Amino acid sequence: MQRRRLRRRTLAVLFGLLYGGAAASPPAFTATMPPANWSDSSDPARTMGRTMAHLSLHYWLLGTGYYVWYNHGTTPDPAIASPAELSGRTGIEVTLAAGARTAEQVATATATAIDAVSGLSASSTGADVTVVGAASASAGGTSFDARGREGILGTPDDRALTLNSFAAPTLRASLLNAADWSSEEIVITGFTLGVGDTHDAGIVIAIYQGGSADDDFDGATLLGHVGTTAGDATTSQAVRVQSSGVYVNPALGRVWVALMHSTGQAEMAFTWYSQNSATGNNWITTGNDAIHLMTAGPASSSAGDLPATLGTVASSEIGMPAIQLSFVQADSFQSDMHPTFDFGTQHAVVAGQRDTTQLLPGSSDDALVVGNSYNVPSDMRGLYMHRSGICYDTHVDGSDYCAHVGVGGAAVDDFSGASVYQVGQTSGTATGWNYVAASAQTIPLAAGTRIWLLIEFDASGSALSFDPGTPNIFEDEHFGPAVWYNGPASESEYAPLSNPLVSPGQETTNLDYDPAGDGLQAANSLPGPWTITPNGTNFQPGNNVGTHGTARTFGFAVAS
């Protein structure tokens, strides 16, 4: 008994010396965790640069000596890109099983990982993690507009031909043009491969650097394995495999994307044309228009058989299999969890063909509210509206459309009864995409719910465009029309008698458009929600209005 008391007294004295006296409490703080989303949709890859695990490469700083990072499925340690703020710090790895995880599950795993570190203790309650033993923490603060570049690079897939099959085992590579991503240092986080009617050999995707010429990869060295396909995907699917992360510095030499597989049919959609690169934070870039076969190279579906160095080129072919690599700019991430993904409308007559001529005209001075529904995927957690984009074909000063978000509605093509929030109103005269930031009030986009991107206007001179006349980053035109839209190809439109797009019907009289931005019904306070109950006639034209939205999740929040 005396020994126990002596030991406790000694610990108490040591604790007091460490934290400024016997009465002092150890430093502590609480960090609130976000959900960990997981999706193989190509659109999050475009807007986040991440395939499947959206927490990939995100981290937060703990005290002066640690950083906390998340291995979700198989995701890389952010130290792979050597961010300056991680210099001298030790990583605390939090392991999350593949698939979407709630904020509570993330908090439990985070507390477990921190609590295992000597000198620290942690516990979780709900989404909150309380840490004792570290005096400070930082969750970053990157803004939406300064999050660095990310998106997809590689070779687009026009789905024109999927009959090209490598029946024999092979190792081939194609040059990526670093100028397409401004020759910046990047981390490749995953890939998408267009697969044809046959897939009975796993396809290994890897990145090499070096080579002797733009058409000769001789001497290029292996940077890393991106992933290997599996399953029996066909033309209606694309194989997406999470990467362990490959750091690329284009200043060190040419960059090559290589594919390898063993004996077996591996049919892939080929790209037979070059598409102009998009610009901005979300990129779709092109690769070289030829693929080169390695002389006497290995041919295996095991990543362990990738050669450390590529040999000479035996032959070349015009056309490159459709490989899209998701990437983020190195040293441009931390705790900024948004955007999660963009969603919206794409009007196309046939796959890969945009309709650039149809406009949505006004109709005298009648009020009109129109929109398309979107079904939030059931595995997307903790989403909130970040902004809306409205596409103008004609934009007259003072004639500005107002953006709203509806939740619910009577049917996929009828927004009657939806709970409506106002996002905001555009301004100016710029045509093309105009953006409206969501109001301070959080607009929830819960998993599995039907939401509406609504546009309200008074036909005072401006006109919507269904789709810009040039390629844009918010469409996935290579996989058919509106596949990522996750909604119907028809809109809900409570139209007046004079609307030339539809048959005559009953005009809605209880929706009041107010150019000052006072909302659908002046008697309601903004930004909502309120319920729309139109008294007019609902039409469902077989098209989509020119709008899209950006969803986000909140990042790590730290409170001392």
Side-chain angles (χ1 to χ4, degrees), residues 126-166:
D128 292 336
V129 176
T130 299
V131 180
V132 178
S136 63
S138 171
T142 307
S143 70
F144 172 80
D145 295 318
R147 65 189 186 277
R149 301 189 189 280
E150 66 275 296
I152 297 174
L153 61 92
T155 52
D157 168 18
D158 62 1
R159 296 284 173 176
L161 292 175
T162 57
L163 300 178
N164 300 83
S165 180
F166 295 129

Side-chain angles (χ1 to χ4, degrees), residues 337-348:
M337 288 301 297
H338 62 269
T340 298
F341 68 104
D342 289 319
F343 59 96
T345 60
Q346 175 189 346
H347 180 63

Side-chain angles (χ1 to χ4, degrees), residues 286-336:
T286 60
N288 190 266
D289 61 0
I291 186 170
H292 312 289
L293 174 66
M294 179 176 167
T295 300
S300 168
S301 292
S302 173
D305 293 331
L306 285 165
T309 304
L310 294 178
T312 58
V313 169
S315 62
S316 301
E317 299 178 23
I318 297 296
M320 174 66 189
I323 300 174
Q324 296 181 339
L325 303 168
S326 56
F327 77 96
V328 294
Q329 183 181 344
D331 202 13
S332 67
F333 39 81
Q334 186 180 340
S335 65
D336 183 21

Side-chain angles (χ1 to χ4, degrees), residues 137-391:
S138 171
T142 307
S143 70
F144 172 80
D145 295 318
R147 65 189 186 277
R149 301 189 189 280
E150 66 275 296
I152 297 174
L153 61 92
T155 52
D157 168 18
D158 62 1
R159 296 284 173 176
L161 292 175
T162 57
L163 300 178
N164 300 83
S165 180
F166 295 129
T170 188
L171 189 150
R172 299 169 184 255
S174 183
L175 181 70
L176 292 175
N177 185 1
D180 282 343
W181 67 92
S182 299
S183 297
E184 295 165 326
E185 298 173 44
I186 61 174
V187 177
I188 295 174
T189 64
F191 79 98
T192 301
L193 177 68
V195 179
D197 291 327
T198 303
H199 180 215
D200 57 19
I203 303 168
V204 181
I205 303 295
I207 303 298
Y208 284 81
Q209 188 162 43
S212 59
D214 287 353
D215 58 356
D216 189 354
F217 45 58
D218 186 24
T221 58
L222 178 65
L223 288 185
H225 169 229
V226 181
T228 303
T229 66
D232 298 316
T234 66
T235 51
S236 63
Q237 304 175 44
V239 178
R240 298 174 174 90
V241 178
Q242 178 59 41
S243 164
S244 58
V246 179
Y247 171 74
V248 177
N249 181 357
L252 302 180
R254 297 176 177 87
V255 182
W256 304 82
V257 56
L259 63 90
M260 179 181 73
H261 71 79
S262 59
T263 301
Q265 295 284 344
E267 186 174 287
M268 287 161 275
F270 269 63
T271 298
W272 293 94
Y273 70 99
S274 294
Q275 175 178 313
N276 292 330
S277 300
T279 58
N281 281 330
N282 312 285
W283 288 16
I284 308 168
T285 63
T286 60
N288 190 266
D289 61 0
I291 186 170
H292 312 289
L293 174 66
M294 179 176 167
T295 300
S300 168
S301 292
S302 173
D305 293 331
L306 285 165
T309 304
L310 294 178
T312 58
V313 169
S315 62
S316 301
E317 299 178 23
I318 297 296
M320 174 66 189
I323 300 174
Q324 296 181 339
L325 303 168
S326 56
F327 77 96
V328 294
Q329 183 181 344
D331 202 13
S332 67
F333 39 81
Q334 186 180 340
S335 65
D336 183 21
M337 288 301 297
H338 62 269
T340 298
F341 68 104
D342 289 319
F343 59 96
T345 60
Q346 175 189 346
H347 180 63
V349 179
V350 296
Q353 176 180 331
R354 293 181 305 277
D355 185 335
T356 61
T357 60
Q358 292 195 41
L359 305 177
L360 183 61
S363 50
S364 66
D365 293 325
D366 297 317
L368 178 62
V369 182
V370 61
N372 293 88
S373 66
Y374 172 86
N375 299 315
V376 180
S378 59
D379 59 351
M380 300 295 285
R381 304 169 184 271
L383 301 184
Y384 299 90
M385 192 69 187
H386 181 68
R387 68 177 185 179
S388 282
I390 298 175
C391 186

Side-chain angles (χ1 to χ4, degrees), residues 12-45:
V13 171
L14 289 174
F15 206 77
L17 291 174
L18 285 172
Y19 297 110
S25 298
F29 65 88
T30 299
T32 302
M33 298 293 105
N37 280 308
W38 176 279
S39 172
D40 66 356
S41 169
S42 62
D43 196 60

